Amino acid sequence: MLSNKPGTALYYLVKEQILELIRNGTYEVGSQLPTESDLCTFFDVSRTTIRLALQQLELEGQIHKIQGKGTFVSEVKINEQITQNIKSFSEQMKDAGLNPYSKVLNLDVTPATILLENSLNIQQDDPVIKLERLRYAGDKPYQHSTSFIPWKIAPGLLNEDCSHSLFELLQSKFNIRILKSIESIEPILPDKTICDMLNIPEKTASFLLKSHTYSTNNIPVEYSVTIVRGDSAKFLTERHFKE
């Protein structure tokens, strides 16, 4: 079953062969893989080799284990490009071949906290618009996002449809031109409420994105906190060496 390549570890050959079986549809997304014992027989290798191959596939996000049930083929993760150009959620999802939409969970005015005072360069207790959205990639909940916008820069936002691109809305309705966004990405274990919204098991490793967005003249226009389900996303960046 395995082609012998001198100098290549046996578990790697097994891993690549299983990956090829996933790619050609022999093992479909969501389907259960054969047991370790059956894979040992199929590939004529030891259980240790099979376990190493499966561990590598799990680390790469190709498969996942469900306690008491077995090992299953994972969905292909969405590639989110980290670039110097700002792209809206809709643009990123369309680039991935998915149909995006957002559900507004909450849209109201709240007093600024100390965190928002520093993030938005306003005074504590100043009115801030809080926009909470659940964002979908296709038919699957993918992100939970909460944005905070100073009320004084977009006082009519409460009367607008905020289920689409916030940046496009700020520009078209309030003449706010987005200059830049400073973002950070950290690992997080979301709480039960967020896990339920994203339809993921508790303690699913996910991504926490914090973003500070500025208009021309470096005026803060938005601070956002977004949780992206880690079983569906991966972030890619391209870097070049200086000659």
Side-chain angles (χ1 to χ4, degrees):
M1 184 66 190
L2 297 176
S3 58
N4 187 16
K5 296 180 180 179
T8 303
L10 190 56
Y11 82 87
Y12 180 83
L13 297 176
V14 172
K15 186 209 81 166
E16 288 297 300
Q17 187 61 58
I18 295 175
L19 188 56
E20 179 57 31
L21 292 172
I22 292 173
R23 288 170 177 162
N24 68 25
T26 301
Y27 301 145
E28 297 181 343
V29 171
S31 67
Q32 184 173 0
L33 290 181
T35 65
E36 288 184 1
S37 178
D38 288 340
L39 289 172
C40 287
T41 301
F42 183 72
F43 289 107
D44 191 24
V45 295
S46 69
R47 188 176 292 266
T48 298
T49 298
I50 291 297
R51 285 180 177 172
L52 287 171
L54 294 178
Q55 286 173 8
Q56 190 64 40
L57 287 167
E58 188 174 17
L59 285 172
E60 294 176 4
Q62 300 291 342
I63 62 174
H64 62 278
K65 294 180 180 178
I66 299 178
Q67 187 69 32
K69 293 186 177 181
T71 303
F72 296 81
V73 179
S74 299
E75 290 187 43
V76 177
K77 292 193 174 185
I78 298 170
N79 293 332
E80 292 214 31
Q81 298 285 343
I82 302 174
T83 67
Q84 290 186 332
N85 298 320
I86 296 176
K87 279 192 174 184
S88 68
F89 172 77
S90 296
E91 289 175 319
Q92 293 181 62
M93 293 304 102
K94 288 177 181 177
D95 287 347
L98 297 166
N99 181 38
Y101 72 96
S102 298
K103 181 187 296 183
V104 176
L105 303 178
N106 183 46
L107 178 61
D108 60 12
V109 178
T110 185
T113 61
I114 294 177
L115 171 62
L116 295 178
E117 176 186 9
N118 295 328
S119 298
L120 297 173
N121 193 25
I122 57 179
Q123 298 298 312
Q124 190 173 352
D125 293 328
D126 276 358
V128 173
I129 297 172
K130 179 181 178 181
L131 171 60
E132 181 185 4
R133 292 175 290 181
L134 188 60
R135 316 188 83 169
Y136 288 75
D139 60 356
K140 182 171 65 176
Y142 178 66
Q143 293 183 358
H144 177 273
S145 178
T146 305
S147 297
F148 299 93
I149 305 100
W151 179 85
K152 63 184 179 182
I153 71 168
L157 190 61
L158 293 175
N159 301 317
E160 299 293 337
D161 179 6
C162 295
S163 61
H164 302 289
S165 171
L166 176 61
F167 292 167
E168 290 179 8
L169 183 59
L170 290 175
Q171 180 166 322
S172 63
K173 293 289 186 176
F174 303 98
N175 199 31
I176 297 172
R177 295 186 61 190
I178 303 301
L179 174 67
K180 66 179 181 180
S181 179
I182 300 174
E183 302 175 351
S184 65
I185 304 174
E186 305 174 45
I188 189 176
L189 295 177
D191 61 29
K192 185 179 185 304
T193 299
I194 298 297
C195 288
D196 288 345
M197 289 184 185
L198 294 175
N199 194 27
I200 55 177
E202 288 188 63
K203 298 184 179 180
T204 297
S206 299
F207 300 101
L208 172 64
L209 279 64
K210 294 182 181 180
S211 176
H212 295 79
T213 302
Y214 300 83
S215 66
T216 50
N217 299 322
N218 280 324
I219 298 174
V221 298
E222 183 213 25
Y223 169 70
S224 69
V225 178
T226 300
I227 296 175
V228 184
R229 51 188 295 173
D231 63 338
S232 298
K234 61 181 177 181
F235 291 83
L236 302 178
T237 185
E238 181 177 322
R239 295 186 291 179
H240 298 268
F241 286 101
K242 291 183 179 180
E243 295 183 358

